Amino acid sequence: MNIALLTLAALIGSAISGAVGMGGGAFLIAVMTMMLAPGAVVPIHGLVQFTSNGSRALTLRGHIYWPMVARFCPPMVLGALIGRQLYQGADLPWFKPAIGAFILISLAWK
């Protein structure tokens, strides 16, 4: 794993998101699937996205609509726990093609 290349990809992804408003995370996950084991991509990408979005939320905390946060957090935590149980230690041969399909569908979607 080349940490410098992943750091550069995260920086480029941040620049894309900052300039366009979206797409940086999709760019980063595409790069990560080429460099990391499938089982490592999702948790590392999640941590990077959490840090990025968390810093943005902290900066803009006065504009957060807290009732919406309270509505989405419990199912989000439940989904993360279920996902961890389902895929922990599993061989994921379908993962890279699924990420590629997700990115292509996202690009074609209006």
Side-chain angles (χ1 to χ4, degrees):
M1 172 174 68
N2 189 341
I3 198 79
L5 209 52
L6 287 172
T7 303
L8 179 63
L11 221 77
I12 292 170
S14 294
I16 291 169
S17 287
V20 181
M22 62 180 202
F27 168 79
L28 182 60
I29 201 164
V31 171
M32 290 174 78
T33 57
M34 292 186 283
M35 300 180 69
L36 300 172
V41 172
V42 171
I44 294 172
H45 185 265
L47 181 62
V48 170
Q49 291 297 105
F50 178 79
T51 304
S52 172
N53 293 331
S55 65
R56 187 177 307 117
L58 188 62
T59 302
L60 300 171
R61 66 185 169 274
H63 301 281
I64 295 174
Y65 183 62
W66 291 106
M68 187 68 70
V69 173
R71 200 173 321 158
F72 276 87
C73 279
M76 175 191 65
V77 171
L78 181 63
L81 292 173
I82 291 170
R84 184 186 71 180
Q85 289 300 114
L86 288 174
Y87 295 109
Q88 191 172 21
D91 185 29
L92 306 170
W94 53 267
F95 184 76
K96 287 184 180 184
I99 292 294
F102 171 76
I103 291 170
L104 292 174
I105 290 168
S106 295
L107 290 172
W109 200 273
K110 286 187 176 185

